[in-house]
Each structure stands twice: as structure tokens, then as C-alpha cells.
């Protein structure tokens, strides 16, 4: 390190980049090409980043070399040949050096230079950097290209300093290598670094003791020559291959599985797992079926397959059992890729110490002290991991607007927009920052995407005369929420992983990368640009442009469902005949999960004005009598039946401990207004009259329904009030149709793209009513003269439902007329979300909330009034 004193004159650059790993190198190349004066600052004395530091024996990338290569320059690609499928660290480092030489990068990289602080100067709109060499630098833009796994985790084991032998960290392995031959060696940790180095250390050491806190899942690398099919695909169409990688889920071109684990027989499953095990590759192995990441049962099948492999490889059954991971779903901690790891435990000089059975007390003078034993060793290797994704960023003292440091801003977890920028830190960019796919993808693909986005952004700012760019708090909040919501529909949060920040004591437990995938993320980044830097504020001499908003407000599982539905290419329902629409909807319903078990289900008929109405009764498993809910299904008065909302009715039955009777009604266009309302009222009257025989006696019956069924429930509640009976205890209106005013903003803004369209709603109205009938409160209950005296209601409206505003309006009108209303506004949801039981995990909290609110209505109003 250069100890020279700081100079007062700051050197000026357009861009200062921290880190000369693959991200910093590519960025330098592109920024230079775009004419920006750029300096790269790097602690090490050469390029390579992660691959400069992680030199432990056996270190390799767990992504195949063909994929883990730059794609931005075909000439560069042709000039380099990887020697094997998974390149070793020395070969990857040579590749980084080759790229640096070929692109003449070193002349703009200051090696052996650590950035100690960086501060935003609000007067000059520039960043001021101070380095370990005493330099002051000034740059308009400041980029942290510091890598995701570059800051070793602090040792959280006491007594390390007292050990008299040698200590090494896999993440900071000496350049000259370490000779362990004939020595007694301890390895602490069993993550990827340990799993790669252990076979090498075992071959050289006289004794090797592995201290394992949590066993990991590992699959064989089957390293060797490249896979011929990969080589052929790449050679045949390089551009196509790279394009497919960019538009894939994880940055490697693989065909996603189209089957769920539980859709096949046990034999087929075993066969598929075995084939994937023999083929290798993390992404392909985890993707043998399409649900390992989200379905616990499916995940457990895969986990058990790997455990069976461990048991059949490791001779000592107790050791094998100790090596079997059980405390987290497979894949929720980074799956390891090894060469001979499990086999190493069959060597006579290797011992596994399970730290759960024999807790580690401290490191002592002579070795590792457990509560019941001291294991004497000559060498201790710490393979204890990294302060991942945020550690290297907050290690630099970065101060943004108003003197706030990044460490303070991120004290409850990182807050970024797209993992690229941070509110309050103008002109600061992160490459593969938290909130981007980063470590859940092939890093090179994600690095290239970020480098291109950042460079293009700077070019755009320059062209348009802006000096600064930063995300708005709303955009950041929205993205953080989206990242968390996406993680929440996967199994990832169940593990104490470095993805969750859970490996570092005191670090907030927040899922750090973006799990939505490379392609979905790329689309989001491109959309931001296409919408004129949506979610950003840009400023320049001509003023500021605020383009505020939330980029991804739709719940992630809802978004996936909409994507899948769009891919099916179904013609608009309104272009079909009612008969065809009914058949299509019935076929879709038949494929839905059935909903929870109930105590009893009975099909019956209820007398209606024009003939019997089919009905289905669900009784809870508890001892009755129970409150009764009469349910009317959705389907625009045209489609559906007493069974079409079955999963939701079962849910209501169990969760509200009610007898739920779903009654069918006549449909349009065969039976138009007011047929459905008449049938619904007749059904209510009959159920009320027969409540005791039906097993309900606790309260007057309640009414409920979804969509057009919600409309009918509201209508019959009014009719019962007006005609003096029957008494109605409560209303449960889920996304109800309440009015025929099509000018409300949800009808316009959410007209299409979210499942139920405004056009389809018009078609439903046309089937059921003539235009002049539409102001009748028996189809537009919001138009009733008064809502005074109606039963208390739970009303659910969804943010992305064209019917949202009229549902909101009905809730407001009821409240204005003194009716007790629990109004649940489901953010990020669409018209069908709430009914999608066991299909949309993010709908579950909404369902729980509505069930609880519905039960409480009875407790609060009816029971009290008795
Ligand atoms: P990892 O995967 O974080 O592994 C670190 C290992 O060290 C893991 O087994 C930890 O157990 C263990 N560890 C950490 N602290 C302790 C203490 N105090 N006592 C005992 N054991 C401890 O880091 P790697 O370097 O192996 O791999 C990082 C990534 O690099 C990897 O995922 C690939 O993407 C490449 P724990 O699981 O916390 O119980």
C-alpha cells in the first residue's frame, strides 16, 4: 500500500468504478468505448476479483465454462478455449488476465488501491472518493462493481488468535499455495469452498477433520471434456446460444421442465432424477421438474434422492446420516458441485465432526476445542463463507444526500431499485446488486446485462443533458416489496442461508437476490427505459424530471399465472358462444386443486321460481349447529354452477366454521334479468326456512358471492330488508358487480391485461340485461335509494380488477349509510385471485383476513345483539 499523503487536488473522471473483476473490466471496456473518462480502483494487484482471491485447492466455478464467458465480443470468444467443462480457478484467472491484455484494460486500473470513502457532493453533483493510497478522486458517476461473494465473513469463533499452528481462509488463500502434506488439518465449514477443497486436502494431509455445523447438498460435477451437445449447440449458432442464455431463467440456455414432480409415477421420477444426477449441472438438476423451488413435497422428493446417494456412497452409516441435510429444502442454500466429496469420507485419514452433537467451544492453542474433546491439529482452514451481496458495498464508507451513509440506509436490509440504484445516492450504480438476479444466475450474463444498462443509461443522460439520476422512494419501496413477495412464494426463506443474510450474526434477515429470473428481470429493466426511466428522477441544468411509480405492483404468482394464461393463446371469451365459454370454464375448474377437506358434502336441490335449483352443501368437521352461508357463484350471470366455486366454498366452510350452501341459478342469455336475482332470493328464503334441518341454528343465514354472485348476494340482502325477511346476518361480497357505470377509472385503467377484461364485462351485461334495465337496483345494488338497515358486510376488492372501483364505492356507500363494513383491499391482486385456493400463495393472507373478518362480524354484531 502506498502511504503517501492525500493530495488536495482531486483528479476528475466521468466515472469511477470499484473492482476489477469481470464486472469492472467489462464496464471499463464499454465506458471507454462510449467516450467516458473512467478509472477502476482495485485492492488486489491484478484483475480477476473473486477469482483473484479464492485460490484454495480445488476451486472451480459451478457454472460450465462455455456459459461462464463474456459474450460481448465474438472475436474475444473465438480467441479463448476452455480446457474443460468446469474451469479451475487458475484457468478462470488466466481468462480474466487474457481479457485485460486483449482489451488493454490495465492502463485505466489502479491496482493495490482500496476505496476508503465516497461522498456525494450536493453542490457539484459529483462523487468524491478517497483511496488507501491517499488519492482524492472526483467523478460524476460512481459504480460499485465489488462482487457478491467478495467480503469474507468475520470469524465468529473465539480464540483463533491463540492457535499456535497455521490458519488459512479459503477466500484469502496464499498465492504461493499451502503444503499440508503430513500435517493434521482441520476444516471448519461445509459450504461450497469446503466441499471443493476437502478432497484435495484429504489427499495430502496425514489427518483431516471436518467440522460440520450444517450439512449441504452436493451433486457430482462429472468434470472432464465439455459436453458434446453443448459444444455443438454453441458452435452451430453462437449468437442464438447467447441470446437463449440472456432470455433464460438463470442465464444458461436450458429448456425449462414442463412437468410437476407429483405428476409422474415414482419410477419416472427416480429415472428423471438419476438421469439428472448423471448429467450434472445445478440448474438442470434443480429443474428436473418445475416445482422444486416452491412445493415442499416436490422438494422433499429431490432432497431424499440426494440423501439416498449420500447413503450409498459413504460406507459408515453414522457418517452418512450426519452428512444428510435435513434442516432446509434442497436448493434454498446454494447447491454444491463436487468431485469426490462424499467418497472422501471413506478414507481412513478423514473424520467428520458433527458440531450439533459436539458443539464447538473455541479455538485453542493446539486445535479445535469441542465441549467434549480437543481435536489437535497443525493447520486450521476456515471455509466459513462471506458477508454476501451487501458486505463489500457497505465496507466502503459511502455517504449520500444529506450525509446519510449507505450502511445506515440499509440497516434493516438493502433497499435498491432493480439492484442498480439506491434512493438518496444519486449517480451511484451497483453491478449485480441486491435486488437483482445476481447470484441466482450465471454471473457473467447478469454482469453483461447490468454493464450494458448502466452504460446506456449514462449515454442517455449525457445526450439529454442530465447530470444526475436516482430512484424515487416509491419506486424503491415497490421493488423491495416485489423482491420480497417473489421470495415469499418460494421455499428460499426457509433456509438460514447467505441468500437470506442469515449466515452473518446480526445481519438483517432479508432475501438478497431477485428470484424472478434473468428474463423477467431483463424485461423489467428494459421496460423502465422504454417508459422514459420510470421510477427515476433525473436532474440537469434545465430542471428535474420525476417519473414516479411502482414498476411491478402485481403479485408475482399472479403475474406468472397471467403469463401462463397468455401463452395458452385462448381466444377472448366474448368471441365464443355462451355454451363454449361454459365448457371452457368448467374444464379449467376441473383442473383446480379441490380445496381443503370438509366434514361432509351433500348435493341437493332447492326449489326455485322456475324449477329446482342445484345446490351443494359443505358442512364443517366440527360439531354443529353452525352458522349458514348461502353462496352465489361468479361467472357474469352466464357461466358457472353450484360447484364452480367449490374450492373457495370448502375454504369458507372450514375457516369460518359455517355450513356453506352454494346454490346455482338460471343463467343468461337463456334466462335474463331478473331471473338470477329471483332464483337467488328464492334460495335464500328456502334455506332460511330450513336452517335447522340443514344443521344451522346459531344465527340468521348469511349471504355471500363472488363477482356476479357478489352482485346477487348484495341484491338479495336488499330484497330481504325491503320485504321484511328473511333476516340476513352478514354479507360477504368478493369482487362484486355493484353498478352499471362503466366510466370508473378501474374499468378504464384495468380494462385488459389482468384476466377479467372490461370487454368481457360488457358482454356479460349484454347477455343478462337490456340497457334500460341497468339502473334497476336488482342488478345495480349501488343504485338502491338507501343502504340503511342492510346487514354488516365484508367486502373484498382487488387492485387490478376492473370491478375494483364499484366494489370500493359500494363499501363506501354502505358505511355512509351506517352499515358496519370490513373492507379488504387486496394489493397486487386480480379478479380471480381470492378464489384461487391452493393456486396463488399470495392470495392466502387475503383469504385468511376475509374469513377472520367474516367470523368477527358475527361475533361482534349478531351474538352481541342476542
Ligand atoms: P458458505 O456456503 O457460506 O459456507 C460456509 C460454511 O461455514 C457453512 O457450512 C457454515 O455453516 C460454516 N460456518 C460458518 N461459520 C461457522 C461457525 N462459526 N462455526 C461452524 N461453521 C461455520 O461459504 P462458501 O465459501 O463455502 O461458499 C460461498 C459460495 O461461493 C457458494 O455458495 C458458491 O456460490 C460459491 P452453516 O451453514 O452456517 O451452519
Amino acid at each position: 500500500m502506498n502511504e503517501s499523503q492525500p493530495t488536495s487536488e482531486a483528479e476528475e473522471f466521468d466515472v469511477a468504478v470499484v473492482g476489477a473483476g469481470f464486472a469492472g473490466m467489462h464496464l471499463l471496456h464499454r465506458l471507454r468505448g462510449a467516450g467516458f473518462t473512467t478509472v477502476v480502483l482495485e485492492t488486489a494487484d491484478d484483475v480477476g476479483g473473486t477469482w483473484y482471491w479464492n485460490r484454495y485447492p480445488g476451486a472451480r466455478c459451478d457454472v460450465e465454462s462455455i456459459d461462464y464467458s463474456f459474450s460481448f465480443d465474438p472475436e474475444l470468444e473465438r480467441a479463448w478455449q476452455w480446457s474443460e467443462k468446469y474451469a479451475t480457478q487458475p484457468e478462470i484467472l488466466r481468462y480474466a488476465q487474457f481479457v485485460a491484455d486483449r482489451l488493454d484494460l490495465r492502463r485505466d486500473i489502479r491496482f493495490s488501491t482500496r476505496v476508503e470513502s465516497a461522498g456525494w457532493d450536493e453542490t457539484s453533483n459529483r462523487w468524491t472518493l478517497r483511496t488507501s493510497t491517499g488519492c482524492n478522486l472526483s467523478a460524476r458517476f460512481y459504480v460499485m462493481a465489488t462482487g457478491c461473494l467478495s467480503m469474507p465473513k468475520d470469524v465468529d469463533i473465539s480464540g483463533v488468535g491463540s492457535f499456535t499452528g497455521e490458519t488459512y481462509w479459503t477466500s484469502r488463500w496464499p498465492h504461493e499455495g499451502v503444503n499440508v502434506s503430513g500435517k493434521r488439518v482441520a476444516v471448519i465449514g461445509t459450504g461450497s469452498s469446503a466441499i471443493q477443497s476437502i478432497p484435495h486436502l484429504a489427499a495430502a494431509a496425514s489427518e483431516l477433520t471436518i467440522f460440520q455445523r450444517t450439512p449441504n447438498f452436493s451433486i457430482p460435477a462429472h468434470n472432464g471434456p465439455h459436453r458434446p451437445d453443448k459444444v455443438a449447440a454453441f458452435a452451430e449458432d453462437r449468437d442464438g446460444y447467447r441470446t437463449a442464455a440472456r432470455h433464460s431463467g438463470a442465464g444458461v440456455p436450458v429448456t425449462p421442465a414442463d412437468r410437476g414432480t407429483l405428476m409422474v409415477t415414482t419410477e419416472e421420477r427416480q429415472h428423471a432424477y438419476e438421469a439428472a444426477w448423471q448429467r450434472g449441472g445445478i440448474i438442470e438438476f434443480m429443474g428436473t421438474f418445475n416445482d422444486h423451488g416452491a412445493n415442499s413435497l416436490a422438494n422433499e422428493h429431490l432432497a431424499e434422492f440426494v440423501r439416498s446417494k449420500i447413503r450409498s456412497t459413504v460406507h459408515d452409516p453414522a457418517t452418512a446420516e450426519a452428512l444428510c441435510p435435513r434442516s432446509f429444502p434442497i436448493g434454498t442454500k446454494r447447491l454444491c458441485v463436487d468431485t469426490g466429496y462424499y467418497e472422501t469420507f471413506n478414507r481412513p485419514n478423514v473424520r467428520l465432526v458433527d458440531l450439533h452433537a459436539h458443539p464447538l467451544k473455541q479455538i485453542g492453542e493446539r486445535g479445535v476445542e469441542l465441549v467434549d474433546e480437543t481435536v489437535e491439529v497443525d493447520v486450521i482452514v476456515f471455509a466459513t463463507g462471506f458477508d454476501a451481496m451487501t458486505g463489500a458495498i457497505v465496507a466502503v464508507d459511502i455517504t449520500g444526500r444529506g450525509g446519510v451513509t449507505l450502511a445506515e440506509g440499509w440497516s434493516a436490509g438493502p433497499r435498491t431499485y432493480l439492484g442498480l440504484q439506491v434512493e438518496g445516492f444519486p449517480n451511484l450504480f451497483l453491478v449485480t446488486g441486491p435486488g437483482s438476479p445476481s447470484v441466482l444466475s450465471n454471473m457473467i450474463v447478469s454482469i453483461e446485462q447490468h454493464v450494458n444498462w448502466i452504460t446506456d443509461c449514462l449515454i442517455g443522460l449525457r445526450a439529454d443533458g442530465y447530470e444526475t439520476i436516482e430512484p424515487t422512494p416509491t419506486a424503491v419501496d415497490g421493488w423491495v416489496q416485489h423482491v420480497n413477495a417473489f421470495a415469499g412464494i418460494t421455499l428460499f426463506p426457509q433456509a438460514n442461508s447467505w441468500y437470506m443474510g442469515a449466515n452473518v450474526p446480526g445481519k438483517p434477515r432479508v432475501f438478497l437476490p431477485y428470484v424472478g429470473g434473468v428474463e423477467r428481470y431483463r424485461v423489467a429493466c428494459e421496460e423502465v427505459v422504454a417508459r422514459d426511466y420510470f421510477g427515476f428522477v433525473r436532474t440537469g441544468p434545465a430542471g428535474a424530471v420525476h417519473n414516479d411509480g411502482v414498476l411491478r405492483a402485481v403479485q408475482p404468482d399472479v403475474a406468472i399465472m397471467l403469463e401462463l394464461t397468455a401463452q395458452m393463446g385462448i381466444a377472448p371469451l366474448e368471441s365464443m358462444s355462451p355454451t363454449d365459454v361454459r365448457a371452457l370454464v368448467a374444464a379449467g375448474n376441473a383442473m383446480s386443486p379441490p380445496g381443503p377437506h370438509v366434514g361432509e358434502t351433500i348435493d341437493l336441490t332447492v326449489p326455485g321460481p322456475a324449477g329446482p335449483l342445484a345446490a351443494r352443501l359443505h358442512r364443517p368437521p366440527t360439531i354443529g349447529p353452525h352458522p349458514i352461508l348461502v353462496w352465489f357463484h361468479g361467472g357474469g350471470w352466464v357461466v358457472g354452477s353450484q360447484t364452480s366455486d367449490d374450492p373457495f366454498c370448502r375454504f369458507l366452510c372450514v375457516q369460518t366454521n359455517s355450513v356453506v350452501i352454494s346454490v346455482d341459478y338460471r343463467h343468461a342469455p337463456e334466462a335474463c334479468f331478473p331471473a338470477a336475482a329471483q332464483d337467488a332470493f328464492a334460495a335464500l328464503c328456502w334455506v332460511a326456512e330450513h336452517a335447522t334441518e340443514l344443521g344451522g341454528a346459531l344465527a340468521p343465514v348469511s349471504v355471500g358471492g363472488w363477482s356476479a354472485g357478489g352482485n346477487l348476494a348484495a341484491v338479495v340482502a336488499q330484497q330481504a330488508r325491503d320485504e321484511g325477511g328473511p333476516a340476513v346476518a352478514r354479507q360477504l361480497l368478493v369482487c362484486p358487480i355493484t353498478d352499471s357505470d362503466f366510466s370508473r377509472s378501474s374499468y378504464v385503467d384495468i380494462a385488459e391485461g389482468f384476466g377479467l377484461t372490461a370487454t368481457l364485462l360488457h358482454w356479460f351485461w349484454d347477455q343478462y340485461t337490456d340497457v334500460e334495465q341497468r339502473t334497476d337496483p336488482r342488478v345495480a345494488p349501488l343504485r338502491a335509494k338507501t343502504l340503511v338497515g342492510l346487514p354488516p358486510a365484508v367486502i373484498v376488492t382487488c387492485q387490478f380488477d376492473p370491478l375494483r372501483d364499484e366494489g370500493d364505492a359500494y363499501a363506501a356507500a354502505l358505511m355512509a349509510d351506517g352499515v358496519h363494513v370490513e373492507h379488504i383491499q387486496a394489493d397486487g391482486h386480480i379478479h380471480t385471485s381470492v378464489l384461487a385456493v391452493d393456486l396463488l400463495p399470495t392470495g392466502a393472507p387475503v383469504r385468511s383476513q376475509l374469513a377472520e373478518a367474516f367470523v368477527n362480524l358475527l361475533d361482534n354484531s349478531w351474538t352481541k345483539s342476542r
Side-chain angles (χ1 to χ4, degrees):
M1 189 191 300
N2 186 332
E3 297 288 316
S4 63
Q5 292 302 303
T7 55
S8 50
E9 282 286 296
E11 286 178 82
E12 298 222 335
F13 297 91
D14 294 329
V15 192
V17 179
V18 187
F22 285 119
M25 290 164 65
H26 182 27
L27 196 54
L28 172 57
H29 176 63
R30 270 228 63 197
L31 290 171
R32 259 189 199 166
F36 293 103
T37 57
T38 306
V39 62
V40 178
L41 305 150
E42 168 59 56
T43 309
D45 62 11
D46 200 1
V47 295
T50 290
W51 300 106
Y52 173 93
W53 298 104
N54 284 267
R55 297 168 182 247
Y56 59 84
R60 287 176 194 272
C61 186
D62 58 9
V63 174
E64 290 182 47
S65 323
I66 289 180
D67 299 305
Y68 198 77
S69 310
F70 279 131
S71 72
F72 62 82
D73 179 353
E75 294 283 306
L76 183 87
E77 274 192 292
R78 270 191 282 278
W80 179 265
Q81 295 296 322
W82 293 104
S83 67
E84 55 185 337
K85 187 169 150 190
Y86 292 105
T88 59
Q89 173 271 333
E91 189 174 12
I92 302 173
L93 184 57
R94 278 201 302 281
Y95 173 68
Q97 291 164 342
F98 158 80
V99 174
D101 290 342
R102 199 178 157 94
L103 304 178
D104 188 21
L105 297 177
R106 287 193 177 85
R107 67 183 156 88
D108 286 321
I109 305 176
R110 300 199 183 169
F111 294 107
S112 306
T113 303
R114 204 178 57 245
V115 177
E116 296 190 325
S117 67
W120 175 250
D121 180 341
E122 294 183 40
T123 318
S124 64
N125 279 345
R126 296 180 70 87
W127 283 92
T128 305
L129 279 64
R130 246 183 85 91
T131 72
S132 58
T133 55
C135 289
N136 283 340
L137 307 172
S138 165
R140 173 75 70 206
F141 301 99
Y142 173 45
V143 189
M144 292 295 278
T146 39
C148 295
L149 293 159
S150 46
M151 174 58 67
K153 186 183 101 155
D154 288 342
V155 186
D156 49 3
I157 304 170
S158 62
V160 176
S162 65
F163 180 57
T164 52
E166 304 161 51
T167 50
Y168 301 102
W169 274 260
T170 48
S171 53
R172 293 290 181 270
W173 204 253
H175 286 206
E176 61 283 8
V178 177
N179 182 4
V180 296
S181 65
K183 293 179 185 166
R184 297 165 304 168
V185 178
V187 174
I188 298 184
T190 47
S192 189
S193 303
I195 282 174
Q196 287 187 334
S197 56
I198 280 167
H200 295 263
L201 295 168
S206 63
E207 288 171 24
L208 179 71
T209 310
I210 294 136
F211 295 87
Q212 170 188 275
R213 188 163 67 182
T214 314
N216 249 309
F217 291 99
S218 187
I219 63 168
H222 302 302
N223 201 17
H226 299 292
R227 287 196 266 173
D229 55 337
K230 216 177 219 326
V231 174
F234 187 64
E236 249 169 51
D237 180 8
R238 188 203 82 96
D239 288 346
Y241 187 94
R242 295 299 190 204
T243 303
R246 287 183 202 116
H247 296 283
S248 67
V252 174
V254 293
T255 311
D258 56 2
R259 294 185 303 176
T261 306
L262 309 175
M263 288 163 68
V264 300
T265 64
T266 309
E267 291 70 35
E268 281 176 295
R269 194 154 53 229
Q270 284 303 111
H271 187 262
Y273 286 159
E274 186 61 41
W277 179 268
Q278 295 307 336
R279 201 174 49 239
I282 297 178
I283 297 162
E284 282 148 299
F285 188 72
M286 284 309 299
T288 314
F289 294 99
N290 63 14
D291 50 0
H292 290 133
N295 180 323
S296 297
L297 201 56
N299 186 284
E300 179 55 23
H301 278 291
L302 186 65
E304 191 48 34
F305 174 82
V306 177
R307 290 187 207 114
S308 74
K309 288 291 183 187
I310 297 172
R311 290 189 202 104
S312 64
T313 308
V314 178
H315 299 160
D316 174 44
T319 305
E321 224 35 59
L323 285 166
C324 286
R326 297 196 178 279
S327 58
F328 58 95
I330 185 168
T332 57
K333 280 186 163 193
R334 178 89 167 195
L335 190 62
C336 301
V337 176
D338 73 274
T339 301
Y341 175 62
Y342 293 119
E343 290 82 348
T344 303
F345 292 90
N346 296 330
R347 295 178 65 109
N349 67 332
V350 172
R351 176 187 169 199
L352 179 72
V353 171
D354 175 357
L355 293 177
H356 282 292
H358 311 275
L360 200 163
K361 207 167 67 183
Q362 60 186 15
I363 304 294
E365 220 173 283
R366 289 178 301 151
V368 181
E369 296 180 8
L370 308 172
V371 290
D372 51 356
E373 182 191 355
T374 295
V375 180
E376 294 191 11
V377 291
D378 306 307
V379 176
I380 301 178
V381 174
F382 292 93
T384 43
F386 298 87
D387 183 352
M389 300 207 64
T390 55
I393 299 172
V394 296
V396 177
D397 180 17
I398 302 176
T399 309
R401 203 188 283 289
V404 176
T405 67
L406 195 58
E408 288 162 358
W410 285 7
S411 58
R415 290 174 44 76
T416 73
Y417 188 37
L418 299 160
L420 277 163
Q421 275 216 295
V422 184
E423 71 192 283
F425 294 79
N427 292 5
L428 167 67
F429 292 89
L430 313 172
V431 181
T432 63
S436 73
S438 56
V439 292
L440 294 179
S441 69
N442 173 358
M443 286 299 284
I444 302 284
V445 169
S446 287
I447 284 171
E448 287 191 341
Q449 188 248 337
H450 266 191
V451 164
N452 288 334
W453 195 95
I454 293 168
T455 311
D456 293 345
C457 172
L458 300 199
I459 293 170
L461 293 174
R462 182 176 60 191
D464 296 337
Y466 293 114
E467 281 181 353
T468 74
I469 182 166
E470 81 179 279
T472 69
T474 311
V476 173
D477 283 344
W479 187 252
V480 169
Q481 204 174 340
H482 178 62
V483 169
N484 289 331
F486 230 124
I489 63 168
T490 72
L491 303 175
F492 278 107
Q494 294 182 20
N496 290 324
S497 62
W498 56 259
Y499 294 137
M500 293 295 302
N503 64 328
V504 176
K507 190 166 174 174
R509 192 183 170 87
V510 172
F511 190 71
L512 298 168
Y514 175 62
V515 73
V518 163
E519 166 64 0
R520 186 173 285 106
Y521 175 77
R522 181 183 297 272
V523 168
C525 291
E526 287 172 0
E527 183 183 326
V528 161
V529 178
R531 293 170 69 181
D532 194 26
Y533 286 92
F534 184 69
F536 287 97
V537 183
R538 287 163 296 166
T539 68
V545 174
H546 289 254
N547 190 356
D548 205 2
V550 172
L551 183 65
R552 289 289 178 262
V554 177
Q555 295 286 349
D557 46 355
V558 174
I560 292 170
M561 194 185 71
L562 289 171
E563 283 164 23
L564 292 174
T565 310
Q567 281 164 20
M568 287 162 76
I570 300 168
L573 298 187
E574 62 273 17
S575 69
M576 303 179 193
S577 71
T579 312
D580 287 349
V581 175
R582 287 171 194 151
L584 191 75
V585 171
N589 285 342
M591 291 193 305
S592 300
H597 287 294
V598 295
E600 183 186 26
T601 296
I602 303 168
D603 287 322
L604 65 156
T605 53
V606 169
L613 305 170
R616 175 168 281 189
L617 178 151
H618 296 294
R619 195 184 308 288
T622 53
I623 295 170
H626 301 101
I628 295 182
L629 168 65
V630 182
W631 182 260
F632 303 110
H633 65 80
W637 306 288
V638 175
V639 186
S641 72
Q642 75 282 6
T643 61
S644 54
D645 296 352
D646 218 38
F648 188 65
C649 288
R650 288 167 176 273
F651 165 85
L652 287 174
C653 169
V654 175
Q655 290 300 313
T656 68
N657 200 31
S658 305
V659 167
V660 177
I661 306 175
S662 170
V663 188
D664 201 9
Y665 45 86
R666 281 170 291 161
H667 293 138
E670 294 85 350
C672 293
F673 174 82
Q678 288 169 340
D679 287 358
F681 189 66
L684 168 65
C685 294
W686 185 86
V687 172
E689 215 173 292
H690 297 83
T692 316
E693 298 140 65
L694 294 167
L698 278 179
V701 295
S702 300
V703 292
W706 168 57
S707 192
N711 169 272
L712 295 175
V715 165
V716 299
Q718 291 187 6
Q719 194 175 348
R721 175 200 61 179
D722 297 343
E723 296 185 10
V728 174
R730 300 163 290 175
Q731 317 176 63
L732 173 55
L733 312 180
V734 181
C735 305
I737 298 175
T738 69
D739 197 12
S740 50
D741 176 353
F742 307 131
S743 67
R744 290 193 172 86
S745 68
S746 61
Y747 240 95
V748 179
D749 300 343
I750 305 158
E752 57 183 319
F754 299 95
L756 177 64
T757 63
T759 321
L760 182 60
L761 279 164
H762 281 292
W763 184 79
F764 283 142
W765 275 96
D766 290 343
Q767 305 302 307
Y768 186 48
T769 63
D770 290 335
V771 173
E772 58 276 11
Q773 295 168 324
R774 293 181 187 173
T775 51
D776 190 318
R778 287 175 301 161
V779 70
L782 186 59
R783 296 182 187 241
K785 280 198 190 74
T786 173
L787 302 180
V788 172
L790 284 171
V794 173
I795 299 188
V796 183
T797 52
C798 290
Q799 187 183 2
F800 294 100
D801 180 359
L803 298 173
R804 179 196 66 205
D805 289 353
E806 63 195 72
D808 289 349
Y810 199 60
L814 283 169
M815 282 189 261
D817 279 353
V819 178
H820 178 171
V821 176
E822 295 292 333
H823 185 190
I824 298 168
Q825 293 172 298
D827 285 340
H829 282 289
I830 60 171
H831 187 66
T832 46
S833 289
V834 178
L835 273 276
V837 176
D838 295 333
L839 275 176
L840 293 177
T842 59
V846 182
R847 281 188 288 277
S848 301
Q849 200 188 344
L850 74 85
E852 195 183 337
F854 192 61
V855 169
N856 287 343
L857 277 191
L858 195 63
D859 290 348
N860 292 343
S861 56
W862 186 80
T863 337
K864 274 186 197 148
S865 69
R866 276 178 97 194

